[in-house]
Amino acid sequence: DVKVTQSSRYLVKRTGEKVFLECVQDMDHENMFWYRQDPGLGLRLIYFSYDVKMKEKGDIPEGYSVSREKKERFSLILESASTNQTSMYLCASRLSTGEQYFGPGTRLTVT
Amino acid sequence: LAKTTQPISMDSYEGQEVNITCSHNNIATNDYITWYQQFPSQGPRFIIQGYKTKVTNEVASLFIPADRKSSTLSLPRVSLSDTAVYYCLVGDKGFQAGTALIFGKGTTLSVSS
């Protein structure tokens, strides 16, 4: 089975802190994605990567950056966390067939 | 990427068949239709994918009319455990660098006993 793991299920950070969310997949997928999910807004794409060191902005990249140094790992970085970045963050990886596999999510609270 | 429209919510009772329709008027020739299911506090998971006519697997059926401007996810005899959010997506099945599947708000299905 494909496995997508995220470094933390729950995270609490203070305003202004630099936050790293890590995602690892074990199926050699080229494509990886970061979404955030908020009540009433569905899943919104933050960034995605279709190869090592390659990245593309999604719908809401402001306040975020990403890193893909190795194929299996895709990191989401909040340079200076703010309270409006409190959310559920979901990582996914994708086969070329289009089916995406999601991780369990990280619920981030910024106080 | 084609935009999709689906109902915000639906209610059903155990044992009933549930049909969720998704509109995608500007679907492209190469686009496939994919449905995902999401339970609370979990990531979405793939349910079914199709291009035209009908696709069936152990979980659901997907009906796609000839014009492909809409599709219907059919869940037979739902149970309480089918309570979830269902997302309809449209996109190219083949990998294209620089593309991504776009999730909307989905349809929240509530199943009662």
Side-chain angles (χ1 to χ4, degrees), chain A residues 9 31 33 35 37 40 42-43 45 48 50 90 94 96-100 102-103, chain B residues 36 38 41 43-44 46 49 87 92-95 97-101 103-105:
Chain A
R9 288 302 306 271
N31 303 276
F33 309 82
Y35 296 85
Q37 185 169 33
L43 275 81
L45 181 65
F48 65 103
Y50 53 90
L90 289 157
R94 176 183 169 182
S96 58
T97 59
E99 179 177 346
Q100 289 191 186
F102 283 83
Chain B
Y36 284 77
Q38 185 180 24
S41 300
F46 173 89
Q49 183 180 71
Y87 296 94
D92 193 331
K93 185 177 182 180
F95 165 68
T99 65
L101 293 177
F103 287 74
K105 298 180 182 180

PDB file of all heavy atoms in Angstrom, chain A residues 9 31 33 35 37 40 42-43 45 48 50 90 94 96-100 102-103, chain B residues 36 38 41 43-44 46 49 87 92-95 97-101 103-105:
ATOM      1  N   ARG A   9       0.669  14.992  13.935  1.00  0.00           N
ATOM      2  CA  ARG A   9      -0.785  15.068  13.789  1.00  0.00           C
ATOM      3  C   ARG A   9      -1.318  16.377  14.351  1.00  0.00           C
ATOM      4  O   ARG A   9      -2.261  16.948  13.827  1.00  0.00           O
ATOM      5  CB  ARG A   9      -1.464  13.898  14.511  1.00  0.00           C
ATOM      6  CG  ARG A   9      -1.293  12.547  13.847  1.00  0.00           C
ATOM      7  CD  ARG A   9      -1.821  12.520  12.410  1.00  0.00           C
ATOM      8  NE  ARG A   9      -3.200  12.948  12.273  1.00  0.00           N
ATOM      9  CZ  ARG A   9      -4.248  12.149  12.366  1.00  0.00           C
ATOM     10  NH1 ARG A   9      -4.077  10.867  12.614  1.00  0.00           N
ATOM     11  NH2 ARG A   9      -5.479  12.616  12.191  1.00  0.00           N
ATOM     12  N   ASN A  31       4.958  13.485  -8.150  1.00  0.00           N
ATOM     13  CA  ASN A  31       4.145  14.633  -7.768  1.00  0.00           C
ATOM     14  C   ASN A  31       3.792  14.622  -6.297  1.00  0.00           C
ATOM     15  O   ASN A  31       3.337  13.602  -5.766  1.00  0.00           O
ATOM     16  CB  ASN A  31       2.826  14.619  -8.561  1.00  0.00           C
ATOM     17  CG  ASN A  31       3.051  14.608 -10.051  1.00  0.00           C
ATOM     18  OD1 ASN A  31       3.252  15.637 -10.661  1.00  0.00           O
ATOM     19  ND2 ASN A  31       3.016  13.422 -10.644  1.00  0.00           N
ATOM     20  N   PHE A  33       1.980  17.314  -3.084  1.00  0.00           N
ATOM     21  CA  PHE A  33       1.097  18.468  -2.930  1.00  0.00           C
ATOM     22  C   PHE A  33       0.918  18.821  -1.457  1.00  0.00           C
ATOM     23  O   PHE A  33       0.924  17.942  -0.595  1.00  0.00           O
ATOM     24  CB  PHE A  33      -0.295  18.158  -3.510  1.00  0.00           C
ATOM     25  CG  PHE A  33      -0.273  17.623  -4.908  1.00  0.00           C
ATOM     26  CD1 PHE A  33      -0.033  16.290  -5.160  1.00  0.00           C
ATOM     27  CD2 PHE A  33      -0.500  18.475  -5.971  1.00  0.00           C
ATOM     28  CE1 PHE A  33      -0.012  15.793  -6.456  1.00  0.00           C
ATOM     29  CE2 PHE A  33      -0.484  17.986  -7.281  1.00  0.00           C
ATOM     30  CZ  PHE A  33      -0.237  16.654  -7.513  1.00  0.00           C
ATOM     31  N   TYR A  35      -2.003  20.930   0.780  1.00  0.00           N
ATOM     32  CA  TYR A  35      -3.294  21.596   0.837  1.00  0.00           C
ATOM     33  C   TYR A  35      -3.536  22.058   2.267  1.00  0.00           C
ATOM     34  O   TYR A  35      -2.987  21.509   3.212  1.00  0.00           O
ATOM     35  CB  TYR A  35      -4.436  20.634   0.489  1.00  0.00           C
ATOM     36  CG  TYR A  35      -4.446  20.078  -0.909  1.00  0.00           C
ATOM     37  CD1 TYR A  35      -3.704  18.942  -1.235  1.00  0.00           C
ATOM     38  CD2 TYR A  35      -5.224  20.659  -1.904  1.00  0.00           C
ATOM     39  CE1 TYR A  35      -3.721  18.414  -2.514  1.00  0.00           C
ATOM     40  CE2 TYR A  35      -5.258  20.128  -3.196  1.00  0.00           C
ATOM     41  CZ  TYR A  35      -4.500  19.008  -3.476  1.00  0.00           C
ATOM     42  OH  TYR A  35      -4.534  18.479  -4.750  1.00  0.00           O
ATOM     43  N   GLN A  37      -7.054  22.803   4.735  1.00  0.00           N
ATOM     44  CA  GLN A  37      -8.496  22.606   4.755  1.00  0.00           C
ATOM     45  C   GLN A  37      -9.087  23.355   5.919  1.00  0.00           C
ATOM     46  O   GLN A  37      -8.684  23.166   7.071  1.00  0.00           O
ATOM     47  CB  GLN A  37      -8.834  21.116   4.867  1.00  0.00           C
ATOM     48  CG  GLN A  37     -10.315  20.820   4.763  1.00  0.00           C
ATOM     49  CD  GLN A  37     -10.591  19.347   4.618  1.00  0.00           C
ATOM     50  OE1 GLN A  37      -9.894  18.504   5.150  1.00  0.00           O
ATOM     51  NE2 GLN A  37     -11.638  19.017   3.863  1.00  0.00           N
ATOM     52  N   GLY A  40     -15.920  24.943   5.669  1.00  0.00           N
ATOM     53  CA  GLY A  40     -16.661  25.717   4.682  1.00  0.00           C
ATOM     54  C   GLY A  40     -15.887  26.115   3.447  1.00  0.00           C
ATOM     55  O   GLY A  40     -16.470  26.670   2.504  1.00  0.00           O
ATOM     56  N   GLY A  42     -13.396  23.871   1.967  1.00  0.00           N
ATOM     57  CA  GLY A  42     -12.879  22.709   1.254  1.00  0.00           C
ATOM     58  C   GLY A  42     -11.361  22.644   1.308  1.00  0.00           C
ATOM     59  O   GLY A  42     -10.721  23.240   2.176  1.00  0.00           O
ATOM     60  N   LEU A  43     -10.783  21.932   0.373  1.00  0.00           N
ATOM     61  CA  LEU A  43      -9.327  21.818   0.288  1.00  0.00           C
ATOM     62  C   LEU A  43      -8.806  22.867  -0.683  1.00  0.00           C
ATOM     63  O   LEU A  43      -9.273  22.958  -1.813  1.00  0.00           O
ATOM     64  CB  LEU A  43      -8.918  20.431  -0.227  1.00  0.00           C
ATOM     65  CG  LEU A  43      -8.806  19.317   0.782  1.00  0.00           C
ATOM     66  CD1 LEU A  43     -10.167  18.755   1.084  1.00  0.00           C
ATOM     67  CD2 LEU A  43      -7.896  18.223   0.261  1.00  0.00           C
ATOM     68  N   LEU A  45      -5.294  24.356  -2.526  1.00  0.00           N
ATOM     69  CA  LEU A  45      -3.928  23.980  -2.868  1.00  0.00           C
ATOM     70  C   LEU A  45      -2.967  25.107  -2.542  1.00  0.00           C
ATOM     71  O   LEU A  45      -3.144  26.239  -3.012  1.00  0.00           O
ATOM     72  CB  LEU A  45      -3.860  23.619  -4.353  1.00  0.00           C
ATOM     73  CG  LEU A  45      -2.518  23.166  -4.893  1.00  0.00           C
ATOM     74  CD1 LEU A  45      -2.095  21.840  -4.257  1.00  0.00           C
ATOM     75  CD2 LEU A  45      -2.592  23.025  -6.406  1.00  0.00           C
ATOM     76  N   PHE A  48       2.624  22.763  -5.013  1.00  0.00           N
ATOM     77  CA  PHE A  48       2.879  21.391  -5.412  1.00  0.00           C
ATOM     78  C   PHE A  48       4.225  21.289  -6.117  1.00  0.00           C
ATOM     79  O   PHE A  48       4.813  22.301  -6.513  1.00  0.00           O
ATOM     80  CB  PHE A  48       1.741  20.812  -6.241  1.00  0.00           C
ATOM     81  CG  PHE A  48       1.526  21.470  -7.578  1.00  0.00           C
ATOM     82  CD1 PHE A  48       1.968  20.864  -8.749  1.00  0.00           C
ATOM     83  CD2 PHE A  48       0.822  22.664  -7.675  1.00  0.00           C
ATOM     84  CE1 PHE A  48       1.737  21.444  -9.977  1.00  0.00           C
ATOM     85  CE2 PHE A  48       0.594  23.262  -8.910  1.00  0.00           C
ATOM     86  CZ  PHE A  48       1.046  22.639 -10.070  1.00  0.00           C
ATOM     87  N   TYR A  50       6.382  18.726  -8.966  1.00  0.00           N
ATOM     88  CA  TYR A  50       6.287  17.621  -9.902  1.00  0.00           C
ATOM     89  C   TYR A  50       7.636  16.945 -10.122  1.00  0.00           C
ATOM     90  O   TYR A  50       7.762  16.042 -10.945  1.00  0.00           O
ATOM     91  CB  TYR A  50       5.681  18.068 -11.235  1.00  0.00           C
ATOM     92  CG  TYR A  50       6.369  19.256 -11.866  1.00  0.00           C
ATOM     93  CD1 TYR A  50       7.429  19.092 -12.737  1.00  0.00           C
ATOM     94  CD2 TYR A  50       5.920  20.549 -11.599  1.00  0.00           C
ATOM     95  CE1 TYR A  50       8.045  20.179 -13.328  1.00  0.00           C
ATOM     96  CE2 TYR A  50       6.530  21.647 -12.177  1.00  0.00           C
ATOM     97  CZ  TYR A  50       7.599  21.461 -13.041  1.00  0.00           C
ATOM     98  OH  TYR A  50       8.203  22.539 -13.605  1.00  0.00           O
ATOM     99  N   LEU A  90      -2.837  19.132   4.756  1.00  0.00           N
ATOM    100  CA  LEU A  90      -2.832  17.798   4.171  1.00  0.00           C
ATOM    101  C   LEU A  90      -1.805  17.708   3.056  1.00  0.00           C
ATOM    102  O   LEU A  90      -1.753  18.556   2.170  1.00  0.00           O
ATOM    103  CB  LEU A  90      -4.214  17.463   3.606  1.00  0.00           C
ATOM    104  CG  LEU A  90      -5.295  17.210   4.642  1.00  0.00           C
ATOM    105  CD1 LEU A  90      -6.678  17.433   4.059  1.00  0.00           C
ATOM    106  CD2 LEU A  90      -5.192  15.793   5.195  1.00  0.00           C
ATOM    107  N   ARG A  94       1.047  11.675  -5.827  1.00  0.00           N
ATOM    108  CA  ARG A  94       0.197  11.301  -6.951  1.00  0.00           C
ATOM    109  C   ARG A  94       0.916  10.405  -7.930  1.00  0.00           C
ATOM    110  O   ARG A  94       2.076  10.619  -8.276  1.00  0.00           O
ATOM    111  CB  ARG A  94      -0.246  12.578  -7.665  1.00  0.00           C
ATOM    112  CG  ARG A  94      -1.068  12.347  -8.911  1.00  0.00           C
ATOM    113  CD  ARG A  94      -1.399  13.669  -9.591  1.00  0.00           C
ATOM    114  NE  ARG A  94      -1.952  13.450 -10.907  1.00  0.00           N
ATOM    115  CZ  ARG A  94      -2.296  14.424 -11.741  1.00  0.00           C
ATOM    116  NH1 ARG A  94      -2.148  15.676 -11.385  1.00  0.00           N
ATOM    117  NH2 ARG A  94      -2.794  14.135 -12.923  1.00  0.00           N
ATOM    118  N   SER A  96       0.931   8.966 -11.859  1.00  0.00           N
ATOM    119  CA  SER A  96       0.674   9.605 -13.138  1.00  0.00           C
ATOM    120  C   SER A  96      -0.754   9.346 -13.595  1.00  0.00           C
ATOM    121  O   SER A  96      -1.255  10.033 -14.484  1.00  0.00           O
ATOM    122  CB  SER A  96       1.650   9.107 -14.201  1.00  0.00           C
ATOM    123  OG  SER A  96       1.548   7.708 -14.342  1.00  0.00           O
ATOM    124  N   THR A  97      -1.450   8.371 -13.004  1.00  0.00           N
ATOM    125  CA  THR A  97      -2.840   8.107 -13.377  1.00  0.00           C
ATOM    126  C   THR A  97      -3.789   9.133 -12.796  1.00  0.00           C
ATOM    127  O   THR A  97      -4.953   9.139 -13.110  1.00  0.00           O
ATOM    128  CB  THR A  97      -3.288   6.722 -12.882  1.00  0.00           C
ATOM    129  OG1 THR A  97      -3.136   6.685 -11.455  1.00  0.00           O
ATOM    130  CG2 THR A  97      -2.484   5.630 -13.520  1.00  0.00           C
ATOM    131  N   GLY A  98      -3.316   9.993 -11.929  1.00  0.00           N
ATOM    132  CA  GLY A  98      -4.159  11.033 -11.364  1.00  0.00           C
ATOM    133  C   GLY A  98      -4.670  10.747  -9.981  1.00  0.00           C
ATOM    134  O   GLY A  98      -5.124  11.639  -9.298  1.00  0.00           O
ATOM    135  N   GLU A  99      -4.630   9.479  -9.542  1.00  0.00           N
ATOM    136  CA  GLU A  99      -5.100   9.175  -8.199  1.00  0.00           C
ATOM    137  C   GLU A  99      -4.119   9.725  -7.185  1.00  0.00           C
ATOM    138  O   GLU A  99      -2.913   9.499  -7.278  1.00  0.00           O
ATOM    139  CB  GLU A  99      -5.233   7.664  -8.020  1.00  0.00           C
ATOM    140  CG  GLU A  99      -5.683   7.243  -6.646  1.00  0.00           C
ATOM    141  CD  GLU A  99      -5.862   5.744  -6.531  1.00  0.00           C
ATOM    142  OE1 GLU A  99      -5.892   5.067  -7.581  1.00  0.00           O
ATOM    143  OE2 GLU A  99      -5.960   5.260  -5.397  1.00  0.00           O
ATOM    144  N   GLN A 100      -4.636  10.479  -6.233  1.00  0.00           N
ATOM    145  CA  GLN A 100      -3.795  11.059  -5.196  1.00  0.00           C
ATOM    146  C   GLN A 100      -3.971  10.306  -3.890  1.00  0.00           C
ATOM    147  O   GLN A 100      -5.073   9.910  -3.530  1.00  0.00           O
ATOM    148  CB  GLN A 100      -4.136  12.536  -4.976  1.00  0.00           C
ATOM    149  CG  GLN A 100      -3.692  13.413  -6.116  1.00  0.00           C
ATOM    150  CD  GLN A 100      -3.769  14.899  -5.838  1.00  0.00           C
ATOM    151  OE1 GLN A 100      -3.537  15.688  -6.719  1.00  0.00           O
ATOM    152  NE2 GLN A 100      -4.090  15.301  -4.619  1.00  0.00           N
ATOM    153  N   PHE A 102      -3.377  10.653   0.175  1.00  0.00           N
ATOM    154  CA  PHE A 102      -3.225  11.692   1.174  1.00  0.00           C
ATOM    155  C   PHE A 102      -2.645  11.140   2.470  1.00  0.00           C
ATOM    156  O   PHE A 102      -2.863   9.986   2.834  1.00  0.00           O
ATOM    157  CB  PHE A 102      -4.586  12.324   1.497  1.00  0.00           C
ATOM    158  CG  PHE A 102      -5.052  13.288   0.444  1.00  0.00           C
ATOM    159  CD1 PHE A 102      -5.689  12.836  -0.706  1.00  0.00           C
ATOM    160  CD2 PHE A 102      -4.859  14.646   0.605  1.00  0.00           C
ATOM    161  CE1 PHE A 102      -6.114  13.729  -1.683  1.00  0.00           C
ATOM    162  CE2 PHE A 102      -5.290  15.552  -0.361  1.00  0.00           C
ATOM    163  CZ  PHE A 102      -5.907  15.088  -1.499  1.00  0.00           C
ATOM    164  N   GLY A 103      -1.938  12.019   3.159  1.00  0.00           N
ATOM    165  CA  GLY A 103      -1.496  11.713   4.503  1.00  0.00           C
ATOM    166  C   GLY A 103      -2.606  11.954   5.499  1.00  0.00           C
ATOM    167  O   GLY A 103      -3.698  12.408   5.131  1.00  0.00           O
TER     168      GLY A 103
ATOM    169  N   TYR B  36     -13.524  11.494  -4.686  1.00  0.00           N
ATOM    170  CA  TYR B  36     -12.824  11.190  -3.450  1.00  0.00           C
ATOM    171  C   TYR B  36     -13.809  11.256  -2.280  1.00  0.00           C
ATOM    172  O   TYR B  36     -14.802  11.970  -2.326  1.00  0.00           O
ATOM    173  CB  TYR B  36     -11.687  12.178  -3.198  1.00  0.00           C
ATOM    174  CG  TYR B  36     -10.461  11.966  -4.046  1.00  0.00           C
ATOM    175  CD1 TYR B  36     -10.434  12.375  -5.375  1.00  0.00           C
ATOM    176  CD2 TYR B  36      -9.335  11.344  -3.527  1.00  0.00           C
ATOM    177  CE1 TYR B  36      -9.319  12.176  -6.160  1.00  0.00           C
ATOM    178  CE2 TYR B  36      -8.200  11.144  -4.304  1.00  0.00           C
ATOM    179  CZ  TYR B  36      -8.213  11.564  -5.621  1.00  0.00           C
ATOM    180  OH  TYR B  36      -7.103  11.365  -6.393  1.00  0.00           O
ATOM    181  N   GLN B  38     -13.930  11.752   2.036  1.00  0.00           N
ATOM    182  CA  GLN B  38     -13.153  12.179   3.194  1.00  0.00           C
ATOM    183  C   GLN B  38     -13.967  12.043   4.471  1.00  0.00           C
ATOM    184  O   GLN B  38     -15.047  12.645   4.596  1.00  0.00           O
ATOM    185  CB  GLN B  38     -12.668  13.613   3.039  1.00  0.00           C
ATOM    186  CG  GLN B  38     -11.750  14.054   4.175  1.00  0.00           C
ATOM    187  CD  GLN B  38     -11.271  15.470   4.045  1.00  0.00           C
ATOM    188  OE1 GLN B  38     -11.897  16.295   3.393  1.00  0.00           O
ATOM    189  NE2 GLN B  38     -10.147  15.774   4.673  1.00  0.00           N
ATOM    190  N   SER B  41     -11.289  14.258  10.168  1.00  0.00           N
ATOM    191  CA  SER B  41      -9.921  14.114  10.693  1.00  0.00           C
ATOM    192  C   SER B  41      -9.066  13.133   9.898  1.00  0.00           C
ATOM    193  O   SER B  41      -8.098  12.581  10.426  1.00  0.00           O
ATOM    194  CB  SER B  41      -9.966  13.664  12.171  1.00  0.00           C
ATOM    195  OG  SER B  41     -10.654  14.622  12.946  1.00  0.00           O
ATOM    196  N   GLY B  43      -7.386  12.346   5.698  1.00  0.00           N
ATOM    197  CA  GLY B  43      -7.225  12.853   4.349  1.00  0.00           C
ATOM    198  C   GLY B  43      -8.194  12.189   3.397  1.00  0.00           C
ATOM    199  O   GLY B  43      -8.670  11.078   3.652  1.00  0.00           O
ATOM    200  N   PRO B  44      -8.524  12.832   2.282  1.00  0.00           N
ATOM    201  CA  PRO B  44      -9.411  12.217   1.293  1.00  0.00           C
ATOM    202  C   PRO B  44      -8.821  10.923   0.742  1.00  0.00           C
ATOM    203  O   PRO B  44      -7.597  10.762   0.704  1.00  0.00           O
ATOM    204  CB  PRO B  44      -9.507  13.281   0.192  1.00  0.00           C
ATOM    205  CG  PRO B  44      -9.140  14.564   0.856  1.00  0.00           C
ATOM    206  CD  PRO B  44      -8.122  14.192   1.893  1.00  0.00           C
ATOM    207  N   PHE B  46      -9.324   8.047  -2.591  1.00  0.00           N
ATOM    208  CA  PHE B  46      -9.872   7.797  -3.917  1.00  0.00           C
ATOM    209  C   PHE B  46     -11.025   6.801  -3.833  1.00  0.00           C
ATOM    210  O   PHE B  46     -10.936   5.781  -3.157  1.00  0.00           O
ATOM    211  CB  PHE B  46      -8.757   7.240  -4.801  1.00  0.00           C
ATOM    212  CG  PHE B  46      -9.180   6.775  -6.155  1.00  0.00           C
ATOM    213  CD1 PHE B  46      -9.210   7.650  -7.221  1.00  0.00           C
ATOM    214  CD2 PHE B  46      -9.517   5.446  -6.366  1.00  0.00           C
ATOM    215  CE1 PHE B  46      -9.574   7.218  -8.485  1.00  0.00           C
ATOM    216  CE2 PHE B  46      -9.890   5.000  -7.624  1.00  0.00           C
ATOM    217  CZ  PHE B  46      -9.907   5.887  -8.685  1.00  0.00           C
ATOM    218  N   GLN B  49     -12.999   6.410 -10.585  1.00  0.00           N
ATOM    219  CA  GLN B  49     -12.626   7.295 -11.693  1.00  0.00           C
ATOM    220  C   GLN B  49     -13.215   6.757 -12.990  1.00  0.00           C
ATOM    221  O   GLN B  49     -13.270   5.539 -13.189  1.00  0.00           O
ATOM    222  CB  GLN B  49     -11.101   7.388 -11.803  1.00  0.00           C
ATOM    223  CG  GLN B  49     -10.583   8.339 -12.874  1.00  0.00           C
ATOM    224  CD  GLN B  49      -9.064   8.365 -12.891  1.00  0.00           C
ATOM    225  OE1 GLN B  49      -8.411   7.412 -13.303  1.00  0.00           O
ATOM    226  NE2 GLN B  49      -8.490   9.473 -12.441  1.00  0.00           N
ATOM    227  N   TYR B  87     -15.947  14.517  -2.885  1.00  0.00           N
ATOM    228  CA  TYR B  87     -15.418  15.514  -3.811  1.00  0.00           C
ATOM    229  C   TYR B  87     -15.424  14.976  -5.237  1.00  0.00           C
ATOM    230  O   TYR B  87     -15.001  13.842  -5.483  1.00  0.00           O
ATOM    231  CB  TYR B  87     -13.976  15.878  -3.458  1.00  0.00           C
ATOM    232  CG  TYR B  87     -13.795  16.539  -2.117  1.00  0.00           C
ATOM    233  CD1 TYR B  87     -13.486  15.793  -0.993  1.00  0.00           C
ATOM    234  CD2 TYR B  87     -13.904  17.922  -1.985  1.00  0.00           C
ATOM    235  CE1 TYR B  87     -13.300  16.397   0.235  1.00  0.00           C
ATOM    236  CE2 TYR B  87     -13.722  18.535  -0.755  1.00  0.00           C
ATOM    237  CZ  TYR B  87     -13.421  17.765   0.349  1.00  0.00           C
ATOM    238  OH  TYR B  87     -13.239  18.368   1.566  1.00  0.00           O
ATOM    239  N   ASP B  92      -6.838  15.811 -16.212  1.00  0.00           N
ATOM    240  CA  ASP B  92      -6.166  14.899 -17.122  1.00  0.00           C
ATOM    241  C   ASP B  92      -5.626  13.705 -16.347  1.00  0.00           C
ATOM    242  O   ASP B  92      -4.949  13.878 -15.346  1.00  0.00           O
ATOM    243  CB  ASP B  92      -5.026  15.650 -17.808  1.00  0.00           C
ATOM    244  CG  ASP B  92      -4.472  14.897 -18.993  1.00  0.00           C
ATOM    245  OD1 ASP B  92      -4.522  13.652 -18.998  1.00  0.00           O
ATOM    246  OD2 ASP B  92      -3.973  15.551 -19.913  1.00  0.00           O
ATOM    247  N   LYS B  93      -5.930  12.516 -16.829  1.00  0.00           N
ATOM    248  CA  LYS B  93      -5.466  11.324 -16.126  1.00  0.00           C
ATOM    249  C   LYS B  93      -3.953  11.177 -16.242  1.00  0.00           C
ATOM    250  O   LYS B  93      -3.296  10.662 -15.355  1.00  0.00           O
ATOM    251  CB  LYS B  93      -6.146  10.088 -16.715  1.00  0.00           C
ATOM    252  CG  LYS B  93      -5.828   8.799 -15.982  1.00  0.00           C
ATOM    253  CD  LYS B  93      -6.590   7.633 -16.580  1.00  0.00           C
ATOM    254  CE  LYS B  93      -6.314   6.352 -15.808  1.00  0.00           C
ATOM    255  NZ  LYS B  93      -7.055   5.210 -16.380  1.00  0.00           N
ATOM    256  N   GLY B  94      -3.417  11.623 -17.336  1.00  0.00           N
ATOM    257  CA  GLY B  94      -1.982  11.491 -17.528  1.00  0.00           C
ATOM    258  C   GLY B  94      -1.212  12.585 -16.819  1.00  0.00           C
ATOM    259  O   GLY B  94      -1.695  13.680 -16.604  1.00  0.00           O
ATOM    260  N   PHE B  95      -0.018  12.305 -16.460  1.00  0.00           N
ATOM    261  CA  PHE B  95       0.791  13.281 -15.748  1.00  0.00           C
ATOM    262  C   PHE B  95       1.176  14.433 -16.665  1.00  0.00           C
ATOM    263  O   PHE B  95       1.629  14.250 -17.764  1.00  0.00           O
ATOM    264  CB  PHE B  95       2.054  12.613 -15.223  1.00  0.00           C
ATOM    265  CG  PHE B  95       3.112  13.592 -14.803  1.00  0.00           C
ATOM    266  CD1 PHE B  95       2.911  14.403 -13.697  1.00  0.00           C
ATOM    267  CD2 PHE B  95       4.291  13.724 -15.517  1.00  0.00           C
ATOM    268  CE1 PHE B  95       3.876  15.315 -13.310  1.00  0.00           C
ATOM    269  CE2 PHE B  95       5.258  14.631 -15.135  1.00  0.00           C
ATOM    270  CZ  PHE B  95       5.061  15.434 -14.037  1.00  0.00           C
ATOM    271  N   ALA B  97       3.396  17.977 -16.142  1.00  0.00           N
ATOM    272  CA  ALA B  97       4.159  18.833 -15.250  1.00  0.00           C
ATOM    273  C   ALA B  97       3.446  20.172 -15.091  1.00  0.00           C
ATOM    274  O   ALA B  97       2.979  20.755 -16.056  1.00  0.00           O
ATOM    275  CB  ALA B  97       5.565  19.059 -15.807  1.00  0.00           C
ATOM    276  N   GLY B  98       3.361  20.612 -13.865  1.00  0.00           N
ATOM    277  CA  GLY B  98       2.768  21.917 -13.624  1.00  0.00           C
ATOM    278  C   GLY B  98       1.263  21.899 -13.480  1.00  0.00           C
ATOM    279  O   GLY B  98       0.638  22.948 -13.433  1.00  0.00           O
ATOM    280  N   THR B  99       0.655  20.722 -13.405  1.00  0.00           N
ATOM    281  CA  THR B  99      -0.789  20.676 -13.206  1.00  0.00           C
ATOM    282  C   THR B  99      -1.100  20.033 -11.867  1.00  0.00           C
ATOM    283  O   THR B  99      -0.293  19.301 -11.311  1.00  0.00           O
ATOM    284  CB  THR B  99      -1.497  19.875 -14.313  1.00  0.00           C
ATOM    285  OG1 THR B  99      -1.084  18.511 -14.245  1.00  0.00           O
ATOM    286  CG2 THR B  99      -1.175  20.444 -15.675  1.00  0.00           C
ATOM    287  N   ALA B 100      -2.279  20.308 -11.378  1.00  0.00           N
ATOM    288  CA  ALA B 100      -2.694  19.719 -10.113  1.00  0.00           C
ATOM    289  C   ALA B 100      -4.200  19.576 -10.103  1.00  0.00           C
ATOM    290  O   ALA B 100      -4.911  20.356 -10.725  1.00  0.00           O
ATOM    291  CB  ALA B 100      -2.260  20.593  -8.942  1.00  0.00           C
ATOM    292  N   LEU B 101      -4.686  18.574  -9.427  1.00  0.00           N
ATOM    293  CA  LEU B 101      -6.127  18.414  -9.241  1.00  0.00           C
ATOM    294  C   LEU B 101      -6.632  19.472  -8.271  1.00  0.00           C
ATOM    295  O   LEU B 101      -6.006  19.741  -7.268  1.00  0.00           O
ATOM    296  CB  LEU B 101      -6.438  17.024  -8.697  1.00  0.00           C
ATOM    297  CG  LEU B 101      -6.167  15.854  -9.645  1.00  0.00           C
ATOM    298  CD1 LEU B 101      -6.443  14.540  -8.940  1.00  0.00           C
ATOM    299  CD2 LEU B 101      -7.014  15.970 -10.901  1.00  0.00           C
ATOM    300  N   PHE B 103      -9.501  20.550  -5.736  1.00  0.00           N
ATOM    301  CA  PHE B 103     -10.630  20.124  -4.924  1.00  0.00           C
ATOM    302  C   PHE B 103     -11.513  21.321  -4.615  1.00  0.00           C
ATOM    303  O   PHE B 103     -11.029  22.381  -4.298  1.00  0.00           O
ATOM    304  CB  PHE B 103     -10.149  19.524  -3.603  1.00  0.00           C
ATOM    305  CG  PHE B 103      -9.527  18.164  -3.726  1.00  0.00           C
ATOM    306  CD1 PHE B 103      -8.261  18.014  -4.251  1.00  0.00           C
ATOM    307  CD2 PHE B 103     -10.215  17.031  -3.306  1.00  0.00           C
ATOM    308  CE1 PHE B 103      -7.688  16.763  -4.371  1.00  0.00           C
ATOM    309  CE2 PHE B 103      -9.644  15.774  -3.414  1.00  0.00           C
ATOM    310  CZ  PHE B 103      -8.380  15.637  -3.943  1.00  0.00           C
ATOM    311  N   GLY B 104     -12.809  21.131  -4.690  1.00  0.00           N
ATOM    312  CA  GLY B 104     -13.738  22.182  -4.296  1.00  0.00           C
ATOM    313  C   GLY B 104     -14.179  21.983  -2.862  1.00  0.00           C
ATOM    314  O   GLY B 104     -13.422  21.492  -2.030  1.00  0.00           O
ATOM    315  N   LYS B 105     -15.410  22.368  -2.579  1.00  0.00           N
ATOM    316  CA  LYS B 105     -15.917  22.262  -1.209  1.00  0.00           C
ATOM    317  C   LYS B 105     -16.554  20.912  -0.931  1.00  0.00           C
ATOM    318  O   LYS B 105     -16.803  20.556   0.206  1.00  0.00           O
ATOM    319  CB  LYS B 105     -16.913  23.387  -0.941  1.00  0.00           C
ATOM    320  CG  LYS B 105     -16.299  24.769  -1.042  1.00  0.00           C
ATOM    321  CD  LYS B 105     -17.309  25.858  -0.783  1.00  0.00           C
ATOM    322  CE  LYS B 105     -16.658  27.229  -0.936  1.00  0.00           C
ATOM    323  NZ  LYS B 105     -17.620  28.328  -0.681  1.00  0.00           N
TER     324      LYS B 105
END
